[in-house]
Amino acid sequence: MSKQRAVWQSGLGFFLASAGSAVGLGNIWRFPYMAGENGGALFILVYLLIIIFITSFALICEIALGKYTKKNCVEASMQIHHRFKWLGFSMIVSTLLIPAFYFVVGGWIIYYLFYSFSLPAGNYGDVFMAMTAKPVLTCTLAIVFLATCSYFNYKGVNEGVEKCNKILMPMLCVIMVILAVFSLSLPGAAEGLAFMFRPDFSKLNGKVFIDALGQSFFTLSTGTGAMLIYGSYMTAEHRIIKNSYSIVAFDTLVAICAGLIIFPAVFTYGVEPQGGPGLVFVTLPEIFRQMPGGSLFSAAFFLLLLFASVTSGISLIENPVAVLHEMCGMSRKKAVLLTSIAIALLSLPCALSFGILSNVKLFGKTFFDLFDFFSSNLLLPLNSMFICLGVSIFFRAKSDFHFKNRTYDRIFWIMTRYIIPVVMVIIITSAFIN
Ligand code: PFF
Protein backbone atom coordinates (compact mmCIF):
# COMPACT_ATOMS: atom_id res chain seq x y z
CA MET A 1 0.00 0.00 0.00
CA SER A 2 1.75 3.22 -1.05
CA LYS A 3 -0.49 5.81 0.59
CA GLN A 4 1.05 9.20 1.38
CA ARG A 5 1.54 9.44 5.14
CA ALA A 6 0.93 12.66 7.04
CA VAL A 7 3.90 14.72 8.26
CA TRP A 8 4.04 17.52 10.81
CA GLN A 9 3.70 20.81 9.00
CA SER A 10 5.98 22.90 11.19
CA GLY A 11 9.02 22.31 13.35
CA LEU A 12 6.84 23.07 16.35
CA GLY A 13 4.08 20.73 15.18
CA PHE A 14 5.63 17.56 16.58
CA PHE A 15 6.55 19.15 19.88
CA LEU A 16 3.10 20.63 20.43
CA ALA A 17 1.25 17.47 19.52
CA SER A 18 3.43 15.25 21.69
CA ALA A 19 3.47 17.71 24.58
CA GLY A 20 -0.31 17.85 24.09
CA SER A 21 -0.43 14.07 24.36
CA ALA A 22 1.79 14.04 27.45
CA VAL A 23 0.20 16.90 29.40
CA GLY A 24 -3.31 16.07 30.47
CA LEU A 25 -5.25 14.45 33.27
CA GLY A 26 -2.17 12.40 34.13
CA ASN A 27 -0.42 15.52 35.41
CA ILE A 28 -3.28 17.34 37.06
CA TRP A 29 -5.62 14.55 38.19
CA ARG A 30 -3.50 11.36 38.46
CA PHE A 31 -0.14 12.69 39.67
CA PRO A 32 -1.46 14.42 42.85
CA TYR A 33 -3.58 11.46 43.90
CA MET A 34 -0.79 8.94 43.24
CA ALA A 35 1.59 11.13 45.26
CA GLY A 36 -1.07 11.49 47.97
CA GLU A 37 -1.53 7.72 48.23
CA ASN A 38 2.21 6.99 48.33
CA GLY A 39 3.57 9.35 50.95
CA GLY A 40 4.01 12.55 48.87
CA ALA A 41 7.70 13.52 48.75
CA LEU A 42 8.94 9.95 48.66
CA PHE A 43 6.78 9.17 45.65
CA ILE A 44 7.86 12.39 43.91
CA LEU A 45 11.54 11.56 44.46
CA VAL A 46 11.20 8.00 43.11
CA TYR A 47 9.08 9.28 40.23
CA LEU A 48 11.72 11.87 39.25
CA LEU A 49 14.52 9.29 39.38
CA ILE A 50 12.50 6.89 37.21
CA ILE A 51 11.59 9.61 34.69
CA ILE A 52 15.25 10.68 34.34
CA PHE A 53 16.88 7.24 34.24
CA ILE A 54 14.24 5.03 32.65
CA THR A 55 11.22 6.65 31.06
CA SER A 56 12.99 9.41 29.14
CA PHE A 57 15.17 6.78 27.41
CA ALA A 58 12.10 4.66 26.68
CA LEU A 59 10.37 7.73 25.23
CA ILE A 60 13.33 8.42 22.94
CA CYS A 61 13.36 4.78 21.78
CA GLU A 62 9.64 4.85 20.98
CA ILE A 63 9.77 8.14 19.07
CA ALA A 64 12.88 7.01 17.20
CA LEU A 65 11.22 3.73 16.21
CA GLY A 66 8.35 5.74 14.71
CA LYS A 67 10.63 8.21 12.98
CA TYR A 68 12.89 5.57 11.45
CA THR A 69 10.17 3.14 10.33
CA LYS A 70 7.43 5.64 9.37
CA LYS A 71 4.92 2.96 10.32
CA ASN A 72 2.09 2.38 12.77
CA CYS A 73 2.82 0.45 15.97
CA VAL A 74 2.11 -3.05 14.59
CA GLU A 75 4.14 -2.64 11.39
CA ALA A 76 6.92 -0.82 13.27
CA SER A 77 7.12 -3.70 15.78
CA MET A 78 7.41 -6.13 12.87
CA GLN A 79 10.34 -4.08 11.58
CA ILE A 80 12.16 -4.66 14.84
CA HIS A 81 11.76 -8.40 14.20
CA HIS A 82 8.94 -10.39 12.61
CA ARG A 83 8.42 -12.14 15.96
CA PHE A 84 7.60 -8.77 17.59
CA LYS A 85 4.18 -8.42 15.98
CA TRP A 86 2.52 -9.16 19.35
CA LEU A 87 4.18 -6.04 20.76
CA GLY A 88 2.21 -3.89 18.32
CA PHE A 89 -1.03 -5.57 19.38
CA SER A 90 -0.14 -5.17 23.03
CA MET A 91 0.21 -1.42 22.40
CA ILE A 92 -3.22 -1.43 20.75
CA VAL A 93 -4.71 -3.13 23.82
CA SER A 94 -3.26 -0.37 26.00
CA THR A 95 -4.74 2.34 23.77
CA LEU A 96 -8.15 0.74 24.21
CA LEU A 97 -7.91 0.19 27.97
CA ILE A 98 -6.53 3.61 28.92
CA PRO A 99 -9.27 5.68 27.24
CA ALA A 100 -11.86 3.42 28.89
CA PHE A 101 -11.17 5.10 32.26
CA TYR A 102 -9.48 8.29 30.98
CA PHE A 103 -12.59 9.36 29.10
CA VAL A 104 -14.72 8.82 32.20
CA VAL A 105 -12.55 11.37 34.02
CA GLY A 106 -12.80 13.60 30.91
CA GLY A 107 -16.57 13.44 31.43
CA TRP A 108 -16.18 14.52 35.07
CA ILE A 109 -14.21 17.56 33.84
CA ILE A 110 -17.15 18.54 31.63
CA TYR A 111 -19.46 18.29 34.67
CA TYR A 112 -17.15 20.46 36.79
CA LEU A 113 -16.88 23.00 33.99
CA PHE A 114 -20.63 23.66 34.32
CA TYR A 115 -20.59 23.23 38.07
CA SER A 116 -18.04 26.11 38.21
CA PHE A 117 -20.77 28.65 37.69
CA SER A 118 -22.46 27.79 40.98
CA LEU A 119 -19.90 27.00 43.63
CA PRO A 120 -22.05 26.69 46.74
CA ALA A 121 -20.44 26.15 50.13
CA GLY A 122 -20.68 22.54 51.07
CA ASN A 123 -18.95 19.24 51.26
CA TYR A 124 -17.27 18.76 47.89
CA GLY A 125 -16.51 15.14 48.71
CA ASP A 126 -20.27 14.50 48.75
CA VAL A 127 -20.70 16.45 45.49
CA PHE A 128 -18.09 14.25 43.82
CA MET A 129 -19.59 11.02 45.13
CA ALA A 130 -23.09 12.07 44.10
CA MET A 131 -21.91 12.88 40.57
CA THR A 132 -19.92 9.68 40.04
CA ALA A 133 -22.76 7.54 41.38
CA LYS A 134 -25.20 8.70 38.67
CA PRO A 135 -25.01 6.06 35.91
CA VAL A 136 -26.71 7.91 33.07
CA LEU A 137 -24.86 11.15 33.76
CA THR A 138 -21.35 9.66 33.95
CA CYS A 139 -21.85 7.40 30.92
CA THR A 140 -23.27 10.26 28.85
CA LEU A 141 -20.44 12.61 29.80
CA ALA A 142 -17.81 9.97 28.95
CA ILE A 143 -19.41 9.49 25.54
CA VAL A 144 -19.51 13.26 24.94
CA PHE A 145 -15.80 13.43 25.77
CA LEU A 146 -15.08 10.48 23.46
CA ALA A 147 -17.09 12.07 20.63
CA THR A 148 -15.11 15.31 20.99
CA CYS A 149 -11.77 13.52 20.70
CA SER A 150 -12.97 11.32 17.83
CA TYR A 151 -14.14 14.38 15.91
CA PHE A 152 -10.56 15.71 15.83
CA ASN A 153 -9.20 12.29 14.85
CA TYR A 154 -11.67 12.20 12.01
CA LYS A 155 -10.83 15.73 10.85
CA GLY A 156 -7.09 15.11 10.99
CA VAL A 157 -4.78 16.22 13.72
CA ASN A 158 -2.75 18.83 11.87
CA GLU A 159 -5.13 21.71 11.39
CA GLY A 160 -7.24 22.23 14.48
CA VAL A 161 -5.15 20.65 17.17
CA GLU A 162 -1.73 21.95 16.11
CA LYS A 163 -3.09 25.49 16.05
CA CYS A 164 -5.19 25.38 19.24
CA ASN A 165 -2.28 23.89 21.19
CA LYS A 166 -0.17 26.95 20.54
CA ILE A 167 -2.63 29.25 22.32
CA LEU A 168 -4.33 27.05 24.89
CA MET A 169 -1.34 25.26 26.43
CA PRO A 170 0.38 28.52 27.51
CA MET A 171 -2.98 29.74 28.87
CA LEU A 172 -3.35 26.59 30.97
CA CYS A 173 0.14 27.16 32.36
CA VAL A 174 -0.62 30.79 33.27
CA ILE A 175 -3.79 29.81 35.15
CA MET A 176 -1.94 27.01 36.92
CA VAL A 177 0.79 29.38 38.09
CA ILE A 178 -1.84 31.83 39.43
CA LEU A 179 -3.57 28.97 41.26
CA ALA A 180 -0.28 27.72 42.70
CA VAL A 181 0.59 31.21 44.00
CA PHE A 182 -2.87 31.48 45.58
CA SER A 183 -2.66 28.01 47.06
CA LEU A 184 0.79 28.72 48.50
CA SER A 185 -0.69 31.70 50.35
CA LEU A 186 -3.13 29.42 52.24
CA PRO A 187 -2.47 28.58 55.92
CA GLY A 188 -1.72 24.92 55.08
CA ALA A 189 1.05 25.82 52.60
CA ALA A 190 3.98 24.90 54.87
CA GLU A 191 2.47 21.49 55.62
CA GLY A 192 1.67 20.98 51.92
CA LEU A 193 5.26 21.81 50.93
CA ALA A 194 6.67 19.50 53.58
CA PHE A 195 4.41 16.72 52.33
CA MET A 196 5.72 17.28 48.79
CA PHE A 197 9.40 17.80 49.45
CA ARG A 198 10.37 16.12 52.74
CA PRO A 199 10.56 12.39 52.02
CA ASP A 200 9.85 9.87 54.77
CA PHE A 201 12.00 6.90 53.75
CA SER A 202 10.31 4.60 56.25
CA LYS A 203 7.35 4.50 53.83
CA LEU A 204 9.44 3.00 51.00
CA ASN A 205 7.90 -0.18 49.57
CA GLY A 206 7.24 -1.97 46.28
CA LYS A 207 3.95 -0.12 45.72
CA VAL A 208 5.72 3.26 45.67
CA PHE A 209 8.03 2.00 42.92
CA ILE A 210 5.38 0.34 40.78
CA ASP A 211 3.03 3.33 41.08
CA ALA A 212 5.83 5.78 40.24
CA LEU A 213 6.90 3.61 37.31
CA GLY A 214 3.33 3.43 35.98
CA GLN A 215 2.76 7.15 36.51
CA SER A 216 5.95 8.04 34.63
CA PHE A 217 4.91 5.99 31.58
CA PHE A 218 1.31 7.17 31.75
CA THR A 219 2.23 10.84 31.97
CA LEU A 220 4.68 10.68 29.05
CA SER A 221 2.22 8.55 26.99
CA THR A 222 5.06 6.04 26.57
CA GLY A 223 4.50 2.35 25.85
CA THR A 224 1.18 2.84 24.08
CA GLY A 225 2.54 3.58 20.62
CA ALA A 226 1.00 7.08 20.85
CA MET A 227 4.47 8.63 20.75
CA LEU A 228 5.55 6.11 18.13
CA ILE A 229 2.79 7.15 15.75
CA TYR A 230 3.54 10.86 16.34
CA GLY A 231 7.24 10.09 15.73
CA SER A 232 6.28 8.41 12.46
CA TYR A 233 4.92 11.74 11.17
CA MET A 234 8.31 13.42 11.80
CA THR A 235 10.56 14.59 9.01
CA ALA A 236 14.34 14.23 8.88
CA GLU A 237 14.84 17.72 10.36
CA HIS A 238 12.94 16.96 13.54
CA ARG A 239 15.33 16.37 16.44
CA ILE A 240 14.44 13.39 18.63
CA ILE A 241 16.53 14.03 21.74
CA LYS A 242 15.89 17.77 22.01
CA ASN A 243 12.16 17.28 21.57
CA SER A 244 12.01 14.34 24.00
CA TYR A 245 13.77 16.13 26.82
CA SER A 246 11.66 19.25 26.24
CA ILE A 247 8.52 17.10 26.57
CA VAL A 248 9.86 15.48 29.76
CA ALA A 249 10.77 18.87 31.30
CA PHE A 250 7.47 20.51 30.39
CA ASP A 251 5.40 17.56 31.56
CA THR A 252 7.25 17.32 34.88
CA LEU A 253 6.89 21.05 35.57
CA VAL A 254 3.13 20.86 35.00
CA ALA A 255 2.84 17.89 37.38
CA ILE A 256 4.86 19.61 40.13
CA CYS A 257 2.77 22.76 39.64
CA ALA A 258 -0.39 20.66 40.07
CA GLY A 259 1.06 19.34 43.34
CA LEU A 260 1.77 22.91 44.49
CA ILE A 261 -1.89 23.73 43.87
CA ILE A 262 -3.41 20.66 45.48
CA PHE A 263 -1.35 19.88 48.60
CA PRO A 264 -1.44 23.28 50.36
CA ALA A 265 -5.22 23.14 49.83
CA VAL A 266 -5.40 19.55 51.10
CA PHE A 267 -3.85 20.58 54.42
CA THR A 268 -5.76 23.85 54.64
CA TYR A 269 -9.20 22.31 54.16
CA GLY A 270 -8.52 19.09 56.06
CA VAL A 271 -8.89 16.77 53.06
CA GLU A 272 -7.20 13.35 53.25
CA PRO A 273 -4.18 13.24 50.86
CA GLN A 274 -5.03 9.57 50.24
CA GLY A 275 -8.36 10.66 48.72
CA GLY A 276 -7.84 8.65 45.50
CA PRO A 277 -9.30 9.64 42.13
CA GLY A 278 -11.58 12.26 43.74
CA LEU A 279 -8.72 14.24 45.35
CA VAL A 280 -8.49 17.00 42.74
CA PHE A 281 -12.27 17.26 42.46
CA VAL A 282 -12.65 17.79 46.18
CA THR A 283 -9.80 20.26 46.75
CA LEU A 284 -9.99 22.45 43.64
CA PRO A 285 -13.58 23.67 44.13
CA GLU A 286 -12.62 24.69 47.70
CA ILE A 287 -9.76 26.79 46.32
CA PHE A 288 -11.97 28.37 43.69
CA ARG A 289 -14.71 29.15 46.20
CA GLN A 290 -12.25 31.08 48.38
CA MET A 291 -10.63 32.98 45.50
CA PRO A 292 -11.86 36.36 44.34
CA GLY A 293 -13.49 35.74 40.94
CA GLY A 294 -13.41 32.02 41.74
CA SER A 295 -16.23 30.95 39.40
CA LEU A 296 -14.53 32.55 36.45
CA PHE A 297 -11.17 31.00 37.33
CA SER A 298 -12.82 27.65 37.86
CA ALA A 299 -14.58 27.73 34.48
CA ALA A 300 -11.39 28.83 32.70
CA PHE A 301 -9.34 26.15 34.47
CA PHE A 302 -11.70 23.27 33.71
CA LEU A 303 -12.09 24.45 30.12
CA LEU A 304 -8.33 24.44 29.60
CA LEU A 305 -7.96 21.12 31.41
CA LEU A 306 -10.65 19.74 29.15
CA PHE A 307 -8.65 20.90 26.18
CA ALA A 308 -5.42 19.39 27.56
CA SER A 309 -7.18 16.07 28.10
CA VAL A 310 -8.77 16.11 24.66
CA THR A 311 -5.33 16.45 23.05
CA SER A 312 -4.20 13.40 25.06
CA GLY A 313 -7.37 11.53 24.12
CA ILE A 314 -6.76 12.21 20.44
CA SER A 315 -3.31 10.63 20.64
CA LEU A 316 -4.81 7.51 22.24
CA ILE A 317 -7.40 7.08 19.50
CA GLU A 318 -4.90 7.81 16.71
CA ASN A 319 -3.01 4.58 17.34
CA PRO A 320 -5.72 1.96 16.59
CA VAL A 321 -7.06 4.24 13.86
CA ALA A 322 -3.69 4.26 12.08
CA VAL A 323 -3.50 0.45 12.26
CA LEU A 324 -7.03 -0.06 10.89
CA HIS A 325 -6.47 2.56 8.19
CA GLU A 326 -3.01 1.47 7.08
CA MET A 327 -3.14 -2.27 7.60
CA CYS A 328 -6.79 -3.15 7.02
CA GLY A 329 -7.36 -0.58 4.28
CA MET A 330 -10.30 0.95 6.17
CA SER A 331 -11.26 4.57 5.50
CA ARG A 332 -10.26 6.99 8.24
CA LYS A 333 -13.92 7.65 8.99
CA LYS A 334 -14.72 3.95 9.50
CA ALA A 335 -11.56 3.37 11.51
CA VAL A 336 -12.43 6.24 13.89
CA LEU A 337 -15.99 4.95 14.23
CA LEU A 338 -14.93 1.37 15.00
CA THR A 339 -12.29 2.47 17.52
CA SER A 340 -14.79 4.81 19.21
CA ILE A 341 -17.38 2.05 19.55
CA ALA A 342 -14.82 -0.27 21.15
CA ILE A 343 -13.72 2.46 23.59
CA ALA A 344 -17.33 3.39 24.41
CA LEU A 345 -18.15 -0.21 25.32
CA LEU A 346 -15.08 -0.51 27.52
CA SER A 347 -15.84 2.87 29.16
CA LEU A 348 -19.24 1.81 30.46
CA PRO A 349 -18.05 -0.53 33.26
CA CYS A 350 -15.47 2.12 34.26
CA ALA A 351 -18.09 4.87 34.36
CA LEU A 352 -20.31 2.67 36.55
CA SER A 353 -17.47 1.69 38.91
CA PHE A 354 -18.36 4.42 41.41
CA GLY A 355 -22.08 3.65 41.39
CA ILE A 356 -23.97 0.50 40.52
CA LEU A 357 -20.82 -1.54 39.82
CA SER A 358 -18.86 -0.29 42.83
CA ASN A 359 -19.12 -3.69 44.51
CA VAL A 360 -18.09 -5.69 41.44
CA LYS A 361 -14.40 -6.34 41.93
CA LEU A 362 -11.74 -8.40 40.18
CA PHE A 363 -8.45 -8.91 42.04
CA GLY A 364 -9.92 -6.58 44.69
CA LYS A 365 -10.28 -3.69 42.24
CA THR A 366 -13.23 -2.04 40.49
CA PHE A 367 -13.17 -2.00 36.67
CA PHE A 368 -11.94 1.59 36.77
CA ASP A 369 -9.02 0.79 39.07
CA LEU A 370 -8.25 -2.49 37.36
CA PHE A 371 -8.06 -0.99 33.85
CA ASP A 372 -5.87 1.79 35.20
CA PHE A 373 -3.57 -0.51 37.19
CA PHE A 374 -3.25 -3.14 34.48
CA SER A 375 -2.57 -0.71 31.65
CA SER A 376 -0.47 1.95 33.41
CA ASN A 377 1.51 -0.18 35.84
CA LEU A 378 1.98 -3.33 33.77
CA LEU A 379 1.29 -2.99 30.06
CA LEU A 380 3.01 0.33 29.48
CA PRO A 381 6.25 -0.51 31.32
CA LEU A 382 6.35 -3.99 29.74
CA ASN A 383 5.65 -2.69 26.23
CA SER A 384 8.34 -0.07 26.70
CA MET A 385 10.80 -2.57 28.03
CA PHE A 386 10.38 -4.69 24.89
CA ILE A 387 10.61 -1.60 22.66
CA CYS A 388 13.92 -0.71 24.34
CA LEU A 389 15.23 -4.27 24.09
CA GLY A 390 13.99 -4.84 20.53
CA VAL A 391 15.31 -1.53 19.26
CA SER A 392 18.71 -1.88 20.94
CA ILE A 393 19.25 -5.52 19.91
CA PHE A 394 17.63 -5.96 16.49
CA PHE A 395 16.69 -2.61 15.09
CA ARG A 396 19.99 -0.87 15.80
CA ALA A 397 21.84 -3.43 13.69
CA LYS A 398 19.46 -2.99 10.75
CA SER A 399 19.17 0.77 10.64
CA ASP A 400 21.41 3.74 10.76
CA PHE A 401 20.10 4.62 14.22
CA HIS A 402 22.82 6.57 16.03
CA PHE A 403 22.95 9.75 18.02
CA LYS A 404 25.40 12.44 16.96
CA ASN A 405 26.93 12.80 20.40
CA ARG A 406 29.15 9.71 20.79
CA THR A 407 29.08 9.65 24.60
CA TYR A 408 25.31 9.96 24.68
CA ASP A 409 25.06 7.28 22.00
CA ARG A 410 27.06 4.86 24.12
CA ILE A 411 25.14 5.63 27.32
CA PHE A 412 21.83 5.31 25.47
CA TRP A 413 22.51 1.80 24.16
CA ILE A 414 23.85 0.52 27.48
CA MET A 415 20.81 1.91 29.29
CA THR A 416 18.22 0.57 26.85
CA ARG A 417 19.77 -2.83 26.34
CA TYR A 418 20.91 -3.76 29.84
CA ILE A 419 20.10 -1.38 32.67
CA ILE A 420 16.48 -0.40 31.96
CA PRO A 421 15.18 -3.95 31.33
CA VAL A 422 16.88 -5.29 34.46
CA VAL A 423 15.63 -2.46 36.69
CA MET A 424 12.11 -2.77 35.31
CA VAL A 425 11.96 -6.52 35.88
CA ILE A 426 13.14 -5.96 39.46
CA ILE A 427 10.50 -3.27 40.12
CA ILE A 428 7.64 -5.23 38.60
CA THR A 429 8.46 -8.56 40.27
CA SER A 430 9.17 -6.96 43.65
CA ALA A 431 5.81 -5.16 43.50
CA PHE A 432 4.09 -8.49 42.97
CA ILE A 433 6.03 -10.31 45.66
CA ASN A 434 5.12 -7.50 48.10
N1 PFF B 1 -0.14 11.35 29.05
C1 PFF B 1 -1.56 11.59 29.20
C2 PFF B 1 -1.80 12.36 30.47
O1 PFF B 1 -0.87 12.54 31.25
O2 PFF B 1 -2.93 12.78 30.69
C3 PFF B 1 -2.35 10.30 29.17
C4 PFF B 1 -2.01 9.40 28.02
C5 PFF B 1 -2.17 9.83 26.72
C6 PFF B 1 -1.51 8.14 28.29
C7 PFF B 1 -1.82 9.02 25.66
C8 PFF B 1 -1.14 7.30 27.25
C9 PFF B 1 -1.31 7.76 25.93
F1 PFF B 1 -0.99 6.97 24.95
Side-chain angles (χ1 to χ4, degrees):
M1 226 179 293
S2 63
K3 270 187 211 127
Q4 269 263 303
R5 292 190 98 246
V7 288
W8 299 113
Q9 285 165 357
S10 66
L12 212 57
F14 169 77
F15 175 73
L16 288 176
S18 2
S21 168
V23 173
L25 295 171
N27 309 63
I28 295 160
W29 158 72
R30 202 173 184 279
F31 175 78
Y33 100 72
M34 279 287 145
E37 277 183 357
N38 288 293
L42 181 68
F43 174 87
I44 295 176
L45 182 67
V46 174
Y47 166 83
L48 290 177
L49 290 174
I50 289 180
I51 281 247
I52 295 169
F53 294 108
I54 297 182
T55 324
S56 53
F57 286 98
L59 174 70
I60 291 171
C61 248
E62 184 172 326
I63 294 175
L65 184 61
K67 181 178 172 182
Y68 283 99
T69 58
K70 302 249 164 295
K71 301 267 185 228
N72 59 66
C73 64
V74 175
E75 290 178 310
S77 301
M78 285 161 72
Q79 295 227 341
I80 296 178
H81 193 280
H82 66 275
R83 294 233 171 102
F84 269 59
K85 194 173 181 180
W86 64 268
L87 179 58
F89 286 113
S90 176
M91 288 188 236
I92 298 286
V93 172
S94 68
T95 43
L96 293 175
L97 290 183
I98 293 177
F101 65 87
Y102 197 86
F103 289 10
V104 172
V105 185
W108 299 345
I109 303 285
I110 299 176
Y111 179 88
Y112 273 77
L113 173 59
F114 290 104
Y115 183 71
S116 299
F117 294 104
S118 60
L119 282 173
N123 184 336
Y124 290 116
D126 292 344
V127 173
F128 176 75
M129 298 229 292
M131 172 200 64
T132 51
K134 289 185 186 134
V136 178
L137 178 71
T138 45
C139 291
T140 312
L141 290 173
I143 303 285
V144 170
F145 185 86
L146 165 66
T148 313
C149 298
S150 309
Y151 173 78
F152 283 105
N153 286 89
Y154 168 58
K155 279 284 168 202
V157 181
N158 291 68
E159 263 306 292
V161 178
E162 261 190 72
K163 282 193 185 134
C164 291
N165 259 321
K166 261 185 217 167
I167 307 164
L168 296 177
M169 276 292 179
M171 275 170 70
L172 178 67
C173 295
V174 170
I175 293 216
M176 285 189 72
V177 170
I178 296 174
L179 287 179
V181 170
F182 182 81
S183 203
L184 287 169
S185 71
L186 293 172
E191 237 182 308
L193 286 176
F195 183 75
M196 276 184 78
F197 298 115
R198 200 176 301 146
D200 172 0
F201 289 98
S202 68
K203 298 222 170 88
L204 201 61
N205 58 41
K207 184 176 180 301
V208 175
F209 277 96
I210 192 87
D211 280 351
L213 188 76
Q215 174 61 19
S216 73
F217 281 94
F218 185 87
T219 194
L220 291 180
S221 314
T222 313
T224 55
M227 289 302 190
L228 187 154
I229 195 76
Y230 278 5
S232 77
Y233 303 145
M234 278 175 141
T235 60
E237 302 91 70
H238 287 116
R239 307 260 56 98
I240 298 175
I241 300 186
K242 195 178 113 200
N243 272 304
S244 303
Y245 282 112
S246 309
I247 296 166
V248 172
F250 181 50
D251 187 83
T252 308
L253 281 177
V254 176
I256 297 289
C257 191
L260 291 177
I261 296 170
I262 304 298
F263 289 113
V266 160
F267 289 98
T268 305
Y269 305 123
V271 179
E272 274 297 308
Q274 296 93 333
L279 184 66
V280 164
F281 295 97
V282 177
T283 41
L284 278 177
E286 275 290 359
I287 302 178
F288 290 127
R289 199 168 59 82
Q290 311 257 336
M291 277 178 95
S295 282
L296 214 65
F297 264 106
S298 177
F301 176 81
F302 282 113
L303 188 67
L304 293 168
L305 181 55
L306 183 64
F307 178 79
S309 38
V310 166
T311 53
S312 303
I314 293 167
S315 73
L316 282 158
I317 298 176
E318 184 64 15
N319 211 19
V321 167
V323 171
L324 291 171
H325 182 53
E326 293 176 359
M327 290 184 73
C328 309
M330 224 178 247
S331 70
R332 201 170 165 84
K333 192 173 170 183
K334 255 198 197 148
V336 171
L337 190 68
L338 196 68
T339 307
S340 305
I341 291 173
I343 293 174
L345 291 176
L346 288 167
S347 291
L348 297 182
C350 294
L352 301 176
S353 288
F354 297 83
I356 50 180
L357 295 185
S358 60
N359 289 325
V360 180
K361 296 196 175 163
L362 285 172
F363 305 108
K365 292 186 186 298
T366 59
F367 284 106
F368 185 99
D369 288 337
L370 186 69
F371 281 25
D372 184 354
F373 181 85
F374 180 70
S375 51
S376 313
N377 291 8
L378 290 178
L379 265 189
L380 301 196
L382 284 175
N383 287 346
S384 268
M385 187 178 88
F386 283 103
I387 294 175
C388 288
L389 269 176
V391 166
S392 58
I393 296 173
F394 301 109
F395 194 69
R396 186 185 174 202
K398 280 193 213 164
S399 65
D400 175 29
F401 179 7
H402 287 287
F403 298 100
K404 275 202 192 115
N405 182 318
R406 298 268 300 272
T407 318
Y408 185 84
D409 195 62
R410 204 167 301 152
I411 295 175
F412 183 86
W413 296 116
I414 294 174
M415 288 299 289
T416 49
R417 185 163 180 174
Y418 303 106
I419 315 240
I420 291 176
V422 171
V423 174
M424 273 165 63
V425 167
I426 294 174
I427 294 179
I428 293 172
T429 42
S430 70
F432 276 90
I433 291 165
N434 267 314

